[in-house]
C-alpha cells in the first residue's frame, strides 16, 4: 500500500497585519488571501493603511478558501507631538458611518497636501504635471512616494530616496506637514465602529511613555512580534504589554515577497486571538 501523501503544513494561527495593493502592498486582496491559505493560517486580518476598501473582496476570497477574515485597518496617527504612530484596528465594521467619515477626511487632507507640495516645489523651480503625478497613485491615496517617483522621472532626483532628501523631507522646499489623526480620536472612532486597537511595530521609534499614554486612552494590544523586532526588543515589549495589561499580538506586516516578507512569518495563537476579541466593547 502506498503511504499517505503528506499535505502542505497547516501550522494554523492568525496573522494580524497584512497589506494589499489598496494601500502600499503589491497584491490584490484575493492574492493576499491565497497566500494566507497556502501558509496554513486559519485567521488573517487585512490592515491596509487608512483604507477599508479591500475588505469586501478579501472577505469573499477568505470565505472561499476556508479562512476567517478579521476586518482591519492601520491608521496613521499622532499623539501630542509624537508622529508616526501606526494604530492597528481589528473587528471593525467597515460600513460604520463615523469611521467612514473620518477616513474620508484623511483622504481629503492627503489631496490637499498633494496640491500644496506641488505648489511649494513650483516656487522652488520644480514643475511637475499634477495630472501625470496623480496618475501614479492609480486611484489610491496619493502620497509622497508618488511625488518622489515623478521627481525621479523628471530628472530632479536620482532615485526615490534622493527625491526625499533633496525635495520632500522636513526642511526641504517641498515639505508640507500632513494633518495627522490624533491617537485618542482614532481609538474612540475604532471603538464606535465595534473594534479594538493595537500599536503596530513599537520598536520603530515609539517611546514607552507614549505607549503608556495610549494604554490609558484605551489601547488594547501591543504588536510584540513583528519582523523588524529583534529577540531582545520582543522580550522588552512582551514585559511592557504584561505590565500595562495589553494583549501581545504579532503580524508579518506583509507587503511584497520582493522585500523579503512572507505572509504568516509572524502569527498569534487562537488563545491570543480570543483575548483580543474579548477586549471589544
Ligand atoms: Zn506600520
Ligand atoms: Zn503595516
Amino acid at each position: 500500500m502506498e503511504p499517505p501523501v503528506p499535505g502542505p503544513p497547516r501550522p494554523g494561527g492568525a496573522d494580524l497585519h497584512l497589506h494589499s495593493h489598496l494601500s502600499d502592498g503589491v497584491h490584490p486582496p484575493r492574492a493576499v488571501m491565497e497566500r494566507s491559505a497556502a501558509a496554513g493560517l486559519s485567521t488573517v486580518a487585512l490592515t491596509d493603511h487608512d483604507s477599508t476598501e479591500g475588505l469586501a473582496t478579501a472577505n469573499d476570497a477568505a470565505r472561499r478558501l476556508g479562512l476567517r477574515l478579521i476586518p482591519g485597518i492601520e491608521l496613521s496617527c499622532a499623539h501630542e507631538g509624537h508622529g508616526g504612530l501606526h494604530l492597528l484596528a481589528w473587528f471593525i465594521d467597515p460600513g460604520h458611518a463615523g469611521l467612514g467619515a473620518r477616513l474620508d477626511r484623511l483622504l481629503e487632507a492627503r489631496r490637499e497636501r498633494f496640491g500644496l507640495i506641488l505648489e511649494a516645489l513650483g516656487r522652488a523651480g520644480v514643475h511637475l504635471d499634477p495630472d501625470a503625478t496623480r496618475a501614479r497613485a492609480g486611484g489610491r491615496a496619493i502620497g509622497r512616494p508618488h511625488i518622489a517617483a515623478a521627481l525621479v522621472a523628471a530628472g530632479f532626483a536620482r532615485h526615490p530616496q534622493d527625491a526625499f532628501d533633496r525635495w520632500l523631507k522636513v526642511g526641504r522646499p517641498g515639505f508640507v506637514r500632513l494633518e495627522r489623526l490624533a491617537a485618542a480620536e482614532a481609538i474612540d472612532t475604532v471603538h464606535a465602529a465595534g473594534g479594538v486597537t493595537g500599536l503596530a511595530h513599537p520598536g520603530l521609534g515609539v517611546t514607552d511613555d507614549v505607549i503608556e499614554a495610549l494604554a490609558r486612552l484605551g489601547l488594547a494590544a501591543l504588536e510584540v512580534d513583528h519582523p523588524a523586532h529583534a529577540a531582545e526588543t520582543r522580550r522588552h515589549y512582551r514585559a511592557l504589554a504584561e505590565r500595562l495589561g495589553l494583549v501581545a499580538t504579532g503580524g508579518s506586516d506583509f507587503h511584497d515577497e520582493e522585500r523579503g516578507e512572507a505572509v504568516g512569518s509572524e502569527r498569534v495563537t487562537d488563545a491570543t486571538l480570543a483575548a483580543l476579541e474579548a477586549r471589544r466593547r
Side-chain angles (χ1 to χ4, degrees):
M1 210 172 92
E2 295 277 307
V5 179
R10 302 289 294 184
D15 187 338
L16 295 177
H17 190 165
L18 297 167
H19 295 280
S20 78
H21 76 169
L22 273 320
S23 63
D24 55 347
V26 299
H27 302 291
R30 180 184 45 77
V32 177
M33 294 303 112
E34 284 163 359
R35 282 164 173 75
S36 304
L41 291 158
S42 59
T43 304
V44 287
L46 184 67
T47 55
D48 276 315
H49 294 281
D50 302 321
S51 171
T52 56
E53 245 185 292
L55 293 175
T57 47
N59 196 44
D60 290 345
R63 202 179 298 210
R64 275 199 311 277
L65 294 160
L67 279 168
R68 178 187 181 199
L69 177 79
I70 295 170
I73 193 167
E74 183 172 10
L75 296 165
S76 300
C77 303
H79 178 69
E80 293 177 353
H82 302 275
L85 301 178
H86 286 184
L87 271 189
L88 291 164
W90 302 282
F91 308 109
I92 51 167
D93 168 9
H96 185 265
L99 177 64
R102 200 63 198 80
L103 295 177
D104 286 348
R105 258 161 62 204
L106 288 177
L107 266 183
E108 189 50 41
R110 283 187 167 276
R111 267 184 229 116
E112 279 171 21
R113 182 175 69 154
F114 171 74
L116 292 172
I117 291 176
L118 260 51
E119 279 174 32
L121 288 172
R123 285 193 297 275
V126 172
H127 299 282
L128 296 176
D129 176 42
D131 292 334
T133 307
R134 204 177 288 113
R136 291 178 179 275
R140 300 189 291 277
I142 186 92
R144 293 191 297 170
H146 308 116
I147 300 174
L151 285 166
V152 173
F156 292 109
R158 293 190 308 274
H159 48 78
Q161 187 56 50
D162 186 42
F164 272 86
D165 292 343
R166 285 189 200 205
W167 301 107
L168 298 175
K169 72 180 189 185
V170 185
R172 306 309 298 166
F175 177 74
V176 177
R177 196 170 294 283
L178 180 65
E179 174 203 321
R180 288 290 182 195
L181 176 60
E185 192 189 344
I187 291 171
D188 289 348
T189 303
V190 169
H191 287 164
V196 299
T197 54
L199 181 67
H201 43 67
L204 301 180
V206 183
T207 56
D208 288 1
D209 57 323
V210 170
I211 298 171
E212 287 179 28
L214 296 177
R216 285 193 294 273
L217 292 171
L219 187 77
L222 191 61
E223 190 178 49
V224 171
D225 292 312
H226 182 279
H229 290 170
E232 193 183 326
T233 306
R234 295 176 194 227
R235 270 196 299 279
H236 172 77
Y237 287 122
R238 209 173 301 283
L240 184 65
E242 170 94 46
R243 181 161 71 75
L244 298 176
L246 302 172
V247 180
T249 65
S252 65
D253 204 356
F254 174 79
H255 299 78
D256 184 8
E257 286 89 358
E258 304 272 297
R259 297 198 204 172
E261 301 165 348
V263 173
S265 65
E266 309 282 349
R267 44 185 92 196
V268 303
T269 63
D270 291 347
T272 298
L273 189 61
L276 190 63
E277 195 159 12
R279 302 293 288 261
R280 296 176 75 177
R281 9 184 123 177

